[in-house]
PDB file of all heavy atoms in Angstrom:
ATOM      1  N   TYR A  53     -26.731 -29.696  -0.360  1.00  0.00           N
ATOM      2  CA  TYR A  53     -26.111 -28.451   0.144  1.00  0.00           C
ATOM      3  C   TYR A  53     -24.897 -28.736   0.991  1.00  0.00           C
ATOM      4  O   TYR A  53     -24.940 -29.686   1.806  1.00  0.00           O
ATOM      5  CB  TYR A  53     -27.124 -27.659   0.960  1.00  0.00           C
ATOM      6  CG  TYR A  53     -28.188 -26.968   0.136  1.00  0.00           C
ATOM      7  CD1 TYR A  53     -29.392 -27.566  -0.136  1.00  0.00           C
ATOM      8  CD2 TYR A  53     -27.927 -25.701  -0.406  1.00  0.00           C
ATOM      9  CE1 TYR A  53     -30.365 -26.909  -0.920  1.00  0.00           C
ATOM     10  CE2 TYR A  53     -28.890 -25.033  -1.133  1.00  0.00           C
ATOM     11  CZ  TYR A  53     -30.098 -25.657  -1.410  1.00  0.00           C
ATOM     12  OH  TYR A  53     -31.037 -25.009  -2.163  1.00  0.00           O
ATOM     13  N   PHE A  54     -23.851 -27.958   0.800  1.00  0.00           N
ATOM     14  CA  PHE A  54     -22.755 -27.993   1.761  1.00  0.00           C
ATOM     15  C   PHE A  54     -22.555 -26.563   2.248  1.00  0.00           C
ATOM     16  O   PHE A  54     -22.807 -25.605   1.511  1.00  0.00           O
ATOM     17  CB  PHE A  54     -21.465 -28.623   1.179  1.00  0.00           C
ATOM     18  CG  PHE A  54     -20.752 -27.800   0.171  1.00  0.00           C
ATOM     19  CD1 PHE A  54     -19.441 -27.390   0.406  1.00  0.00           C
ATOM     20  CD2 PHE A  54     -21.350 -27.500  -1.061  1.00  0.00           C
ATOM     21  CE1 PHE A  54     -18.768 -26.671  -0.575  1.00  0.00           C
ATOM     22  CE2 PHE A  54     -20.662 -26.752  -2.022  1.00  0.00           C
ATOM     23  CZ  PHE A  54     -19.373 -26.356  -1.766  1.00  0.00           C
ATOM     24  N   ARG A  55     -22.169 -26.426   3.507  1.00  0.00           N
ATOM     25  CA  ARG A  55     -22.295 -25.128   4.186  1.00  0.00           C
ATOM     26  C   ARG A  55     -21.028 -24.748   4.948  1.00  0.00           C
ATOM     27  O   ARG A  55     -20.231 -25.608   5.300  1.00  0.00           O
ATOM     28  CB  ARG A  55     -23.463 -25.163   5.193  1.00  0.00           C
ATOM     29  CG  ARG A  55     -24.764 -25.621   4.549  1.00  0.00           C
ATOM     30  CD  ARG A  55     -25.850 -25.852   5.624  1.00  0.00           C
ATOM     31  NE  ARG A  55     -27.018 -26.485   5.056  1.00  0.00           N
ATOM     32  CZ  ARG A  55     -28.071 -25.814   4.524  1.00  0.00           C
ATOM     33  NH1 ARG A  55     -28.027 -24.484   4.508  1.00  0.00           N
ATOM     34  NH2 ARG A  55     -29.090 -26.460   4.018  1.00  0.00           N
ATOM     35  N   ILE A  56     -20.937 -23.447   5.210  1.00  0.00           N
ATOM     36  CA  ILE A  56     -19.989 -22.931   6.205  1.00  0.00           C
ATOM     37  C   ILE A  56     -20.732 -22.799   7.516  1.00  0.00           C
ATOM     38  O   ILE A  56     -21.752 -22.080   7.571  1.00  0.00           O
ATOM     39  CB  ILE A  56     -19.446 -21.548   5.785  1.00  0.00           C
ATOM     40  CG1 ILE A  56     -18.776 -21.562   4.415  1.00  0.00           C
ATOM     41  CG2 ILE A  56     -18.496 -21.012   6.834  1.00  0.00           C
ATOM     42  CD1 ILE A  56     -18.408 -20.182   3.891  1.00  0.00           C
ATOM     43  N   PRO A  57     -20.316 -23.461   8.571  1.00  0.00           N
ATOM     44  CA  PRO A  57     -20.990 -23.272   9.844  1.00  0.00           C
ATOM     45  C   PRO A  57     -20.766 -21.868  10.414  1.00  0.00           C
ATOM     46  O   PRO A  57     -19.620 -21.400  10.480  1.00  0.00           O
ATOM     47  CB  PRO A  57     -20.369 -24.328  10.745  1.00  0.00           C
ATOM     48  CG  PRO A  57     -19.050 -24.642  10.138  1.00  0.00           C
ATOM     49  CD  PRO A  57     -19.205 -24.428   8.654  1.00  0.00           C
ATOM     50  N   ILE A  58     -21.846 -21.168  10.761  1.00  0.00           N
ATOM     51  CA  ILE A  58     -21.782 -19.798  11.178  1.00  0.00           C
ATOM     52  C   ILE A  58     -21.999 -19.692  12.695  1.00  0.00           C
ATOM     53  O   ILE A  58     -22.855 -20.340  13.271  1.00  0.00           O
ATOM     54  CB  ILE A  58     -22.829 -18.950  10.462  1.00  0.00           C
ATOM     55  CG1 ILE A  58     -22.605 -18.997   8.927  1.00  0.00           C
ATOM     56  CG2 ILE A  58     -22.826 -17.500  10.947  1.00  0.00           C
ATOM     57  CD1 ILE A  58     -21.310 -18.460   8.476  1.00  0.00           C
ATOM     58  N   ARG A  59     -21.179 -18.860  13.339  1.00  0.00           N
ATOM     59  CA  ARG A  59     -21.299 -18.624  14.754  1.00  0.00           C
ATOM     60  C   ARG A  59     -22.337 -17.512  15.002  1.00  0.00           C
ATOM     61  O   ARG A  59     -22.255 -16.427  14.421  1.00  0.00           O
ATOM     62  CB  ARG A  59     -19.954 -18.173  15.327  1.00  0.00           C
ATOM     63  CG  ARG A  59     -19.931 -17.989  16.849  1.00  0.00           C
ATOM     64  CD  ARG A  59     -18.598 -17.377  17.305  1.00  0.00           C
ATOM     65  NE  ARG A  59     -17.460 -18.153  16.842  1.00  0.00           N
ATOM     66  CZ  ARG A  59     -17.009 -19.248  17.512  1.00  0.00           C
ATOM     67  NH1 ARG A  59     -17.603 -19.667  18.595  1.00  0.00           N
ATOM     68  NH2 ARG A  59     -15.944 -19.892  17.025  1.00  0.00           N
ATOM     69  N   ASP A  60     -23.336 -17.804  15.882  1.00  0.00           N
ATOM     70  CA  ASP A  60     -24.347 -16.809  16.268  1.00  0.00           C
ATOM     71  C   ASP A  60     -24.933 -16.114  15.022  1.00  0.00           C
ATOM     72  O   ASP A  60     -24.893 -14.882  14.880  1.00  0.00           O
ATOM     73  CB  ASP A  60     -23.744 -15.736  17.202  1.00  0.00           C
ATOM     74  CG  ASP A  60     -23.214 -16.364  18.489  1.00  0.00           C
ATOM     75  OD1 ASP A  60     -23.823 -17.369  18.959  1.00  0.00           O
ATOM     76  OD2 ASP A  60     -22.217 -15.887  19.021  1.00  0.00           O
ATOM     77  N   MET A  61     -25.512 -16.904  14.126  1.00  0.00           N
ATOM     78  CA  MET A  61     -26.047 -16.393  12.879  1.00  0.00           C
ATOM     79  C   MET A  61     -27.059 -15.295  13.125  1.00  0.00           C
ATOM     80  O   MET A  61     -27.995 -15.461  13.921  1.00  0.00           O
ATOM     81  CB  MET A  61     -26.674 -17.546  12.072  1.00  0.00           C
ATOM     82  CG  MET A  61     -27.093 -17.178  10.686  1.00  0.00           C
ATOM     83  SD  MET A  61     -27.824 -18.594   9.792  1.00  0.00           S
ATOM     84  CE  MET A  61     -26.387 -19.685   9.685  1.00  0.00           C
ATOM     85  N   SER A  62     -26.914 -14.156  12.455  1.00  0.00           N
ATOM     86  CA  SER A  62     -27.853 -13.034  12.643  1.00  0.00           C
ATOM     87  C   SER A  62     -27.861 -12.168  11.387  1.00  0.00           C
ATOM     88  O   SER A  62     -26.827 -11.841  10.833  1.00  0.00           O
ATOM     89  CB  SER A  62     -27.427 -12.186  13.831  1.00  0.00           C
ATOM     90  OG  SER A  62     -28.195 -11.013  13.900  1.00  0.00           O
ATOM     91  N   CYS A  63     -29.084 -11.784  10.992  1.00  0.00           N
ATOM     92  CA  CYS A  63     -29.238 -10.854   9.846  1.00  0.00           C
ATOM     93  C   CYS A  63     -28.973  -9.419  10.250  1.00  0.00           C
ATOM     94  O   CYS A  63     -28.997  -8.525   9.424  1.00  0.00           O
ATOM     95  CB  CYS A  63     -30.650 -10.969   9.292  1.00  0.00           C
ATOM     96  SG  CYS A  63     -31.026 -12.589   8.589  1.00  0.00           S
ATOM     97  N   ASN A  64     -28.744  -9.189  11.537  1.00  0.00           N
ATOM     98  CA  ASN A  64     -28.458  -7.837  12.027  1.00  0.00           C
ATOM     99  C   ASN A  64     -26.972  -7.491  11.963  1.00  0.00           C
ATOM    100  O   ASN A  64     -26.580  -6.423  12.385  1.00  0.00           O
ATOM    101  CB  ASN A  64     -28.957  -7.688  13.483  1.00  0.00           C
ATOM    102  CG  ASN A  64     -30.464  -7.813  13.590  1.00  0.00           C
ATOM    103  OD1 ASN A  64     -31.181  -7.309  12.719  1.00  0.00           O
ATOM    104  ND2 ASN A  64     -30.940  -8.521  14.608  1.00  0.00           N
ATOM    105  N   ARG A  65     -26.194  -8.398  11.447  1.00  0.00           N
ATOM    106  CA  ARG A  65     -24.768  -8.144  11.242  1.00  0.00           C
ATOM    107  C   ARG A  65     -24.450  -8.110   9.758  1.00  0.00           C
ATOM    108  O   ARG A  65     -25.108  -8.747   8.951  1.00  0.00           O
ATOM    109  CB  ARG A  65     -23.903  -9.251  11.889  1.00  0.00           C
ATOM    110  CG  ARG A  65     -24.034  -9.366  13.386  1.00  0.00           C
ATOM    111  CD  ARG A  65     -22.953 -10.317  13.920  1.00  0.00           C
ATOM    112  NE  ARG A  65     -23.135 -10.585  15.343  1.00  0.00           N
ATOM    113  CZ  ARG A  65     -23.785 -11.618  15.851  1.00  0.00           C
ATOM    114  NH1 ARG A  65     -24.306 -12.510  15.014  1.00  0.00           N
ATOM    115  NH2 ARG A  65     -23.930 -11.779  17.139  1.00  0.00           N
ATOM    116  N   THR A  66     -23.427  -7.386   9.412  1.00  0.00           N
ATOM    117  CA  THR A  66     -22.926  -7.436   8.041  1.00  0.00           C
ATOM    118  C   THR A  66     -22.111  -8.708   7.860  1.00  0.00           C
ATOM    119  O   THR A  66     -21.735  -9.406   8.820  1.00  0.00           O
ATOM    120  CB  THR A  66     -22.041  -6.216   7.703  1.00  0.00           C
ATOM    121  OG1 THR A  66     -20.850  -6.298   8.468  1.00  0.00           O
ATOM    122  CG2 THR A  66     -22.782  -4.911   7.961  1.00  0.00           C
ATOM    123  N   ILE A  67     -21.797  -9.002   6.614  1.00  0.00           N
ATOM    124  CA  ILE A  67     -20.947 -10.146   6.326  1.00  0.00           C
ATOM    125  C   ILE A  67     -19.582  -9.973   7.001  1.00  0.00           C
ATOM    126  O   ILE A  67     -19.050 -10.923   7.559  1.00  0.00           O
ATOM    127  CB  ILE A  67     -20.779 -10.304   4.795  1.00  0.00           C
ATOM    128  CG1 ILE A  67     -22.144 -10.510   4.161  1.00  0.00           C
ATOM    129  CG2 ILE A  67     -19.875 -11.486   4.462  1.00  0.00           C
ATOM    130  CD1 ILE A  67     -22.184 -10.297   2.658  1.00  0.00           C
ATOM    131  N   ALA A  68     -19.070  -8.765   6.967  1.00  0.00           N
ATOM    132  CA  ALA A  68     -17.772  -8.473   7.567  1.00  0.00           C
ATOM    133  C   ALA A  68     -17.785  -8.597   9.106  1.00  0.00           C
ATOM    134  O   ALA A  68     -16.722  -8.747   9.717  1.00  0.00           O
ATOM    135  CB  ALA A  68     -17.282  -7.088   7.175  1.00  0.00           C
ATOM    136  N   GLU A  69     -18.965  -8.545   9.696  1.00  0.00           N
ATOM    137  CA  GLU A  69     -19.084  -8.667  11.151  1.00  0.00           C
ATOM    138  C   GLU A  69     -19.436 -10.077  11.581  1.00  0.00           C
ATOM    139  O   GLU A  69     -19.613 -10.322  12.787  1.00  0.00           O
ATOM    140  CB  GLU A  69     -20.182  -7.712  11.652  1.00  0.00           C
ATOM    141  CG  GLU A  69     -19.858  -6.235  11.474  1.00  0.00           C
ATOM    142  CD  GLU A  69     -21.055  -5.301  11.698  1.00  0.00           C
ATOM    143  OE1 GLU A  69     -22.187  -5.768  11.532  1.00  0.00           O
ATOM    144  OE2 GLU A  69     -20.802  -4.146  12.031  1.00  0.00           O
ATOM    145  N   THR A  70     -19.556 -10.964  10.668  1.00  0.00           N
ATOM    146  CA  THR A  70     -19.963 -12.361  10.920  1.00  0.00           C
ATOM    147  C   THR A  70     -18.774 -13.294  11.009  1.00  0.00           C
ATOM    148  O   THR A  70     -17.789 -13.093  10.277  1.00  0.00           O
ATOM    149  CB  THR A  70     -20.937 -12.852   9.827  1.00  0.00           C
ATOM    150  OG1 THR A  70     -22.091 -11.980   9.775  1.00  0.00           O
ATOM    151  CG2 THR A  70     -21.368 -14.273  10.066  1.00  0.00           C
ATOM    152  N   GLU A  71     -18.822 -14.248  11.919  1.00  0.00           N
ATOM    153  CA  GLU A  71     -17.764 -15.224  12.057  1.00  0.00           C
ATOM    154  C   GLU A  71     -18.294 -16.628  11.754  1.00  0.00           C
ATOM    155  O   GLU A  71     -19.441 -16.929  12.013  1.00  0.00           O
ATOM    156  CB  GLU A  71     -17.181 -15.201  13.464  1.00  0.00           C
ATOM    157  CG  GLU A  71     -16.338 -13.970  13.768  1.00  0.00           C
ATOM    158  CD  GLU A  71     -15.464 -14.152  14.977  1.00  0.00           C
ATOM    159  OE1 GLU A  71     -15.615 -15.180  15.682  1.00  0.00           O
ATOM    160  OE2 GLU A  71     -14.613 -13.262  15.217  1.00  0.00           O
ATOM    161  N   ARG A  72     -17.419 -17.411  11.203  1.00  0.00           N
ATOM    162  CA  ARG A  72     -17.755 -18.828  11.020  1.00  0.00           C
ATOM    163  C   ARG A  72     -17.205 -19.634  12.170  1.00  0.00           C
ATOM    164  O   ARG A  72     -16.245 -19.180  12.831  1.00  0.00           O
ATOM    165  CB  ARG A  72     -17.180 -19.316   9.688  1.00  0.00           C
ATOM    166  CG  ARG A  72     -15.654 -19.437   9.654  1.00  0.00           C
ATOM    167  CD  ARG A  72     -15.157 -19.802   8.266  1.00  0.00           C
ATOM    168  NE  ARG A  72     -13.713 -19.986   8.288  1.00  0.00           N
ATOM    169  CZ  ARG A  72     -13.097 -21.164   8.230  1.00  0.00           C
ATOM    170  NH1 ARG A  72     -13.804 -22.275   8.108  1.00  0.00           N
ATOM    171  NH2 ARG A  72     -11.768 -21.264   8.260  1.00  0.00           N
ATOM    172  N   ARG A  73     -17.782 -20.788  12.415  1.00  0.00           N
ATOM    173  CA  ARG A  73     -17.261 -21.686  13.422  1.00  0.00           C
ATOM    174  C   ARG A  73     -16.122 -22.499  12.784  1.00  0.00           C
ATOM    175  O   ARG A  73     -16.157 -22.834  11.587  1.00  0.00           O
ATOM    176  CB  ARG A  73     -18.327 -22.653  13.929  1.00  0.00           C
ATOM    177  CG  ARG A  73     -19.447 -21.938  14.654  1.00  0.00           C
ATOM    178  CD  ARG A  73     -20.211 -22.922  15.550  1.00  0.00           C
ATOM    179  NE  ARG A  73     -20.657 -24.117  14.836  1.00  0.00           N
ATOM    180  CZ  ARG A  73     -21.815 -24.208  14.199  1.00  0.00           C
ATOM    181  NH1 ARG A  73     -22.668 -23.206  14.195  1.00  0.00           N
ATOM    182  NH2 ARG A  73     -22.156 -25.351  13.583  1.00  0.00           N
ATOM    183  N   SER A  74     -15.135 -22.828  13.565  1.00  0.00           N
ATOM    184  CA  SER A  74     -14.045 -23.663  13.104  1.00  0.00           C
ATOM    185  C   SER A  74     -14.603 -24.987  12.661  1.00  0.00           C
ATOM    186  O   SER A  74     -15.344 -25.678  13.405  1.00  0.00           O
ATOM    187  CB  SER A  74     -13.011 -23.826  14.190  1.00  0.00           C
ATOM    188  OG  SER A  74     -11.933 -24.601  13.715  1.00  0.00           O
ATOM    189  N   ALA A  75     -14.323 -25.400  11.454  1.00  0.00           N
ATOM    190  CA  ALA A  75     -14.850 -26.643  10.914  1.00  0.00           C
ATOM    191  C   ALA A  75     -13.708 -27.634  10.679  1.00  0.00           C
ATOM    192  O   ALA A  75     -12.571 -27.257  10.523  1.00  0.00           O
ATOM    193  CB  ALA A  75     -15.578 -26.379   9.608  1.00  0.00           C
ATOM    194  N   ASP A  76     -14.091 -28.899  10.664  1.00  0.00           N
ATOM    195  CA  ASP A  76     -13.105 -29.960  10.384  1.00  0.00           C
ATOM    196  C   ASP A  76     -12.867 -30.003   8.881  1.00  0.00           C
ATOM    197  O   ASP A  76     -13.729 -30.374   8.112  1.00  0.00           O
ATOM    198  CB  ASP A  76     -13.660 -31.304  10.877  1.00  0.00           C
ATOM    199  CG  ASP A  76     -12.605 -32.408  10.817  1.00  0.00           C
ATOM    200  OD1 ASP A  76     -11.653 -32.260  10.039  1.00  0.00           O
ATOM    201  OD2 ASP A  76     -12.775 -33.385  11.521  1.00  0.00           O
ATOM    202  N   VAL A  77     -11.649 -29.601   8.500  1.00  0.00           N
ATOM    203  CA  VAL A  77     -11.294 -29.570   7.065  1.00  0.00           C
ATOM    204  C   VAL A  77     -11.473 -30.952   6.458  1.00  0.00           C
ATOM    205  O   VAL A  77     -11.957 -31.093   5.335  1.00  0.00           O
ATOM    206  CB  VAL A  77      -9.873 -29.058   6.903  1.00  0.00           C
ATOM    207  CG1 VAL A  77      -9.438 -29.185   5.415  1.00  0.00           C
ATOM    208  CG2 VAL A  77      -9.747 -27.607   7.350  1.00  0.00           C
ATOM    209  N   ALA A  78     -11.101 -31.946   7.193  1.00  0.00           N
ATOM    210  CA  ALA A  78     -11.178 -33.329   6.677  1.00  0.00           C
ATOM    211  C   ALA A  78     -12.587 -33.701   6.302  1.00  0.00           C
ATOM    212  O   ALA A  78     -12.832 -34.416   5.312  1.00  0.00           O
ATOM    213  CB  ALA A  78     -10.598 -34.317   7.693  1.00  0.00           C
ATOM    214  N   ASP A  79     -13.576 -33.244   7.078  1.00  0.00           N
ATOM    215  CA  ASP A  79     -14.968 -33.542   6.791  1.00  0.00           C
ATOM    216  C   ASP A  79     -15.393 -32.952   5.444  1.00  0.00           C
ATOM    217  O   ASP A  79     -16.057 -33.585   4.633  1.00  0.00           O
ATOM    218  CB  ASP A  79     -15.897 -33.058   7.893  1.00  0.00           C
ATOM    219  CG  ASP A  79     -15.811 -33.923   9.155  1.00  0.00           C
ATOM    220  OD1 ASP A  79     -15.258 -35.037   9.082  1.00  0.00           O
ATOM    221  OD2 ASP A  79     -16.306 -33.465  10.190  1.00  0.00           O
ATOM    222  N   ASN A  80     -15.043 -31.661   5.222  1.00  0.00           N
ATOM    223  CA  ASN A  80     -15.379 -31.030   3.970  1.00  0.00           C
ATOM    224  C   ASN A  80     -14.737 -31.745   2.791  1.00  0.00           C
ATOM    225  O   ASN A  80     -15.387 -31.975   1.765  1.00  0.00           O
ATOM    226  CB  ASN A  80     -14.883 -29.572   3.992  1.00  0.00           C
ATOM    227  CG  ASN A  80     -15.703 -28.700   4.937  1.00  0.00           C
ATOM    228  OD1 ASN A  80     -16.893 -28.863   5.083  1.00  0.00           O
ATOM    229  ND2 ASN A  80     -15.027 -27.782   5.616  1.00  0.00           N
ATOM    230  N   LEU A  81     -13.467 -32.072   2.924  1.00  0.00           N
ATOM    231  CA  LEU A  81     -12.755 -32.725   1.819  1.00  0.00           C
ATOM    232  C   LEU A  81     -13.251 -34.130   1.599  1.00  0.00           C
ATOM    233  O   LEU A  81     -13.328 -34.604   0.449  1.00  0.00           O
ATOM    234  CB  LEU A  81     -11.252 -32.711   2.097  1.00  0.00           C
ATOM    235  CG  LEU A  81     -10.616 -31.314   2.162  1.00  0.00           C
ATOM    236  CD1 LEU A  81      -9.137 -31.424   2.514  1.00  0.00           C
ATOM    237  CD2 LEU A  81     -10.760 -30.598   0.815  1.00  0.00           C
TER     238      LEU A  81
END
Side-chain angles (χ1 to χ4, degrees):
Y53 284 93
F54 71 119
R55 306 171 189 272
I56 302 173
I58 300 298
R59 184 188 304 278
D60 299 326
M61 188 179 294
S62 172
C63 296
N64 295 320
R65 297 190 186 95
T66 67
I67 300 164
E69 295 168 335
T70 300
E71 288 197 352
R72 68 187 185 106
R73 296 200 308 271
S74 181
D76 188 338
V77 173
D79 286 346
N80 290 323
L81 295 176

